[in-house]
Amino acid sequence: MATPTTWRLLPVLLVTFSYRCCSASGPPAPPSNLECYRPCDQKDCSVIKCIWDPKPHPGAPTIYTLHWKPENAEDEHVTSGSSSDGLIHRENFVSHGNLRVWVQARNEFGSVNSQEIVIHTQDIIKPPPPTSISYHQDPLEIHWSSICGELQLSVGLCDIRYRTKDHQNWIQYVYNLSSSFAVMEPQPNIVYEFQVRCQCDSSLISDWSPSYTTESAES
């Protein structure tokens, strides 16, 4: 015969059982924010790297695979990567063409695909940041060279940001530059820190370069 305590515990047990039973079942949520680019080194851009936000189901291991095929083709390719990124190697895509790309997430309860994106393999080239950077102290100028020519691409525009060493945040951004920048009326005897990023014609913009520092002239 059930006691009053037993009857009070029964709803709690049912809720706990229902949660444990259902929380670990069902396919994972679709991966989101899929984007792809071709990271370049000093000579070429040999792979396409795709990244996404995984959304694994709690309690059920999830396997992620990257899928792609030419825009007007039926045969698809697939590769395994990590839970949040994957690579398409150079032998698996043409240098000027469209690819349809998506990610599949699969666990023991089923599978689901991300939203499909269409990329042009030439437009997603991402050059490395400028590394050949020089300075003039008076006037305070910074000069750099782009790697676009070595990648057989036309030179695009660049952005620069700078700050003094006593500032934690960047105090100035300047856009659409070619290969140099001058600080107007710099503070005397102050160390300035610069970073540059560039793009080639029709490419993505690079990451910011490492920081470069120089001291302004005396007053």
Side-chain angles (χ1 to χ4, degrees):
M1 178 177 174
T3 64
T5 302
T6 304
W7 287 111
R8 286 196 297 270
L9 289 174
L10 186 58
V12 177
L13 293 173
L14 288 173
V15 170
T16 303
F17 173 78
S18 176
Y19 173 78
R20 290 180 177 176
C21 171
C22 300
S23 62
S25 62
S32 60
N33 299 323
L34 172 62
E35 60 178 285
C36 301
Y37 61 96
R38 289 176 65 182
C40 304
D41 56 22
Q42 302 298 318
K43 295 181 179 180
D44 57 31
C45 317
S46 59
V47 300
I48 296 175
K49 182 173 184 179
C50 296
I51 58 176
W52 58 86
D53 292 336
K55 296 181 179 179
H57 198 289
T62 303
I63 298 174
Y64 291 88
T65 50
L66 178 64
H67 299 249
W68 72 94
K69 61 182 177 180
E71 187 175 29
N72 297 316
E74 294 299 326
D75 295 334
E76 70 178 67
H77 303 267
V78 60
T79 183
S80 299
S82 73
S83 62
S84 59
D85 62 66
L87 297 177
I88 303 174
H89 292 279
R90 183 64 186 86
E91 62 269 19
N92 292 318
F93 66 90
V94 297
S95 60
H96 292 74
N98 289 332
L99 288 182
R100 297 164 58 188
V101 184
W102 68 97
V103 178
Q104 183 180 91
R106 184 177 73 256
N107 63 17
E108 60 182 302
F109 303 105
S111 63
V112 64
N113 291 343
S114 71
Q115 183 175 356
E116 182 181 278
I117 63 173
V118 178
I119 58 175
H120 191 282
T121 56
Q122 187 70 10
D123 294 342
I124 59 170
I125 285 177
K126 185 174 183 178
T131 55
S132 179
I133 297 180
S134 60
Y135 304 92
H136 294 293
Q137 191 179 46
D138 189 14
L140 183 58
E141 291 183 345
I142 177 173
H143 299 258
W144 61 88
S145 58
S146 168
I147 198 175
C148 298
E150 298 178 34
L151 298 174
Q152 299 182 346
L153 299 171
S154 301
V155 176
L157 297 175
C158 302
D159 304 333
I160 192 170
R161 63 183 182 184
Y162 66 92
R163 61 188 174 189
T164 57
K165 290 296 286 185
D166 57 348
H167 276 78
Q168 185 176 9
N169 298 320
W170 298 100
I171 59 176
Q172 186 69 43
Y173 287 77
V174 184
Y175 303 99
N176 299 329
L177 302 170
S178 56
S179 60
S180 65
F181 171 73
V183 179
M184 305 302 294
E185 300 182 354
Q187 303 175 52
N189 283 3
I190 293 293
V191 175
Y192 281 81
E193 180 180 359
F194 299 88
Q195 288 185 329
V196 183
R197 64 181 183 183
C198 295
Q199 65 181 135
C200 305
D201 184 38
S202 78
S203 78
L204 302 177
I205 198 162
S206 72
D207 294 328
W208 289 104
S209 71
S211 293
Y212 295 87
T213 59
T214 187
E215 187 173 356
S216 59
E218 297 181 359
S219 59

